[in-house]
Amino acid sequence: MKNRIQKLRKENRITQEELATRCKVTRQTIISLENGKYNPSIFLAQKIAKVFGLTIEQVFIFEEEEQ
Amino acid sequence: MKYVKRQILFFIGYLVIGALLVVAVLLWSPAQQREGILTGIVSGFLVTGVGGLILSTRLLKNPQKAEQAEIMKTEERTQFLRMRTQSTVHSVTIMIVCAGTFVSLICGYRDITLTLSALLIIEVILYICFGTYYAKKY
């Protein structure tokens, strides 16, 4: 699953540390998410989307073939 | 904070068990083995209990650091990593035990073969039991 976290974070001038604190995760989790190495749970996806004031679909790109 | 408080309770439990064991050993263990058993209990339970208690109390005084520690221990990626690691370690352990069973069988070590086989059977039984339990639960 791809995501736009890094792009949105830079647009909103939020550091990885700040985003991690606001979502109650470690900075390493944000790094893994940005690199596409880890897929978040629906709860974390919701928290991240909320930080940017967007919906989950606007932040995470779900690809059909991944199913 | 919840996590740190739980840790403190856990280490207090450790200390209580250690103290009870020390008393039990002093009262009931044979004199020749007393020193060895006491060293083991002191180094195991009491040192861990006291060390853990000191670290947890220090953490309690620094709420920001405590929250960071709680996040590091409880966040979903850590749990995911822990689960994957445990699963891999379990699989590798089973393979090692299987290999050990065959090697001991070929070499003619009957007792070792029986012990390792029993371990494998227990693993399978536990796997079925917990598999059924979690399948019903979720």
Side-chain angles (χ1 to χ4, degrees):
Chain A
M1 186 165 66
K2 286 179 184 169
N3 65 69
R4 295 168 57 221
I5 295 174
Q6 193 170 26
K7 192 172 170 259
L8 290 166
R9 191 173 57 72
K10 282 179 179 166
E11 278 174 12
N12 287 277
R13 294 175 186 274
I14 299 172
T15 62
Q16 288 178 333
E17 190 74 57
E18 208 181 324
L19 181 60
T21 311
R22 284 165 78 171
C23 297
K24 289 192 185 291
V25 292
T26 57
R27 191 174 147 255
Q28 191 56 48
T29 301
I30 301 298
I31 294 169
S32 295
L33 285 168
E34 285 186 357
N35 291 334
K37 286 182 181 173
Y38 175 67
N39 289 328
S41 70
I42 192 85
F43 301 106
L44 180 55
Q46 170 67 26
K47 275 183 196 171
I48 292 167
K50 208 175 167 185
V51 169
F52 297 121
L54 300 168
T55 60
I56 293 175
E57 293 90 339
Q58 287 171 314
V59 180
F60 296 93
I61 303 134
F62 186 74
E63 287 165 342
E64 288 286 325
E65 57 266 28
E66 277 182 24
Q67 287 181 327
Chain B
M1 276 309 198
K2 251 183 194 176
Y3 168 75
V4 181
K5 283 176 186 166
R6 238 188 357 246
Q7 284 287 99
I8 288 175
L9 282 178
F10 175 75
F11 286 118
I12 288 172
Y14 234 87
L15 276 177
V16 170
I17 292 169
L20 288 175
L21 282 172
V22 168
V23 173
V25 170
L26 287 173
L27 289 176
W28 293 300
S29 77
Q32 299 137 329
Q33 295 167 3
R34 196 167 292 163
E35 201 182 324
I37 299 172
L38 276 177
T39 314
I41 292 169
V42 169
S43 60
F45 278 92
L46 300 182
V47 172
T48 311
V50 172
L53 212 54
I54 290 168
L55 288 175
S56 303
T57 319
R58 214 189 269 177
L59 213 57
L60 202 64
K61 286 175 187 167
N62 189 344
Q64 207 175 353
K65 208 174 175 186
E67 198 183 357
Q68 199 64 32
E70 186 166 352
I71 287 171
M72 276 178 78
K73 291 274 180 185
T74 55
E75 68 141 359
E76 64 173 54
R77 184 171 161 273
T78 311
Q79 287 177 355
F80 169 74
L81 292 179
R82 198 179 301 151
M83 219 162 66
R84 286 293 291 259
T85 310
Q86 283 172 353
S87 166
T88 311
V89 168
H90 179 249
S91 305
V92 173
T93 310
I94 285 182
M95 283 176 206
I96 292 169
V97 173
C98 277
T101 311
F102 281 115
V103 171
S104 59
L105 184 71
I106 291 162
C107 296
Y109 298 117
R110 191 171 169 272
D111 292 345
I112 297 172
T113 310
L114 284 173
T115 310
L116 293 177
S117 308
L119 267 176
L120 283 174
I121 291 166
I122 290 168
E123 287 260 7
V124 172
I125 292 168
L126 286 176
Y127 188 87
I128 293 167
C129 290
F130 282 109
T132 314
Y133 170 72
Y134 285 123
K136 277 182 185 169
K137 194 177 177 185
Y138 302 109

